[in-house]
Amino acid sequence: MHNRVVLEIPSLPEHVSLARLLVAQMAAQLRFTVAEVEEIKVAVSEAVTNAIVHGYQGRGDGVVRLEVSLHPGELEVEVIDQGCGMADLELARQPAYSTDPDRMGLGFIFMENFMDHLEVRSEPGRGTRVRMRKRTGTCGPVTTGGQ
Ligand SMILES: Nc1ncnc2c1ncn2[C@@H]1O[C@H](COP(=O)(O)OP(=O)(O)OP(=O)(O)O)[C@@H](O)[C@H]1O
Ligand SMILES: [Mg+2]
């Protein structure tokens, strides 16, 4: 993989914005619309937040690894943690399912709906890997941000 950027962040909520910035900057190199870039940012924020909040259970001593790859017409993002993992992935991905009563259980739904492809691998006690892909539309102008 030659066009890939890797970022490792400590599992602290204040670093979620770094993940958003990186992915937005990478997405800007492809022909995504402004709205699509926003969707990518939301999906990545959800995955990184899950790693911090659920994977490392808010401990702050873990590492969240973000791998962002550019392919022709497609952005691929992987969010990897070595936290607690999930025993029942199918259940975890149900709409409105959450192990935290204060949460909505919508993170995976956002990821699914805002990206074209979502793949989750997880092993209890070992961690979780979320892979997402989004293709650029076949029509529409390139966003240039000015005249
Ligand atoms: N990286 C992860 N490591 C361990 N468990 C996870 C991870 N990501 C998700 N989960 C589990 O899957 C459940 C569903 O995740 P999802 O993001 O859909 O909802 P949520 O995080 O609970 O709520 P919301 O995202 O709406 O704040 C979580 O409650 C948690 O139990
Ligand atoms: Mg979530």
Side-chain angles (χ1 to χ4, degrees):
M1 178 57 57
H2 39 266
N3 203 351
R4 186 180 71 163
V5 173
V6 176
L7 175 71
E8 286 191 342
I9 56 173
S11 57
L12 298 167
E14 54 267 39
H15 293 320
V16 176
S17 57
L18 274 178
R20 291 169 66 91
L21 277 175
L22 169 64
V23 89
Q25 182 61 33
M26 295 285 283
Q29 296 176 46
L30 295 174
R31 290 173 177 235
F32 286 112
T33 63
V34 171
E36 287 168 337
V37 173
E38 284 307 313
E39 290 177 345
I40 293 167
K41 285 163 72 179
V42 171
V44 170
S45 295
E46 292 295 333
V48 173
T49 300
N50 277 353
I52 293 170
V53 170
H54 303 299
Y56 295 113
Q57 295 161 327
R59 286 195 316 273
D61 60 354
V63 171
V64 182
R65 183 179 167 97
L66 201 72
E67 299 182 0
V68 188
S69 306
L70 292 182
H71 305 283
E74 188 177 77
L75 180 87
E76 181 178 328
V77 183
E78 287 195 66
V79 178
I80 302 151
D81 70 65
Q82 292 175 310
C84 67
M86 286 168 267
D88 189 340
L89 259 181
E90 207 181 317
L91 179 64
R93 289 180 62 168
Q94 293 292 315
Y97 173 83
S98 180
T99 43
D100 179 342
D102 294 333
R103 292 191 169 263
M104 307 277 284
L106 294 178
F108 281 127
I109 302 304
F110 280 124
M111 290 179 235
E112 251 168 42
N113 282 284
F114 286 164
M115 303 298 278
D116 292 320
H117 174 87
L118 174 67
E119 188 184 318
V120 187
R121 290 184 190 182
S122 192
E123 211 181 313
R126 303 207 57 157
T128 301
R129 176 181 282 257
V130 175
R131 178 185 289 160
M132 299 176 266
R133 287 197 220 116
K134 193 176 181 73
R135 288 183 297 278
T136 55
T138 47
C139 54
V142 182
T143 323
T144 54
Q147 234 292 71

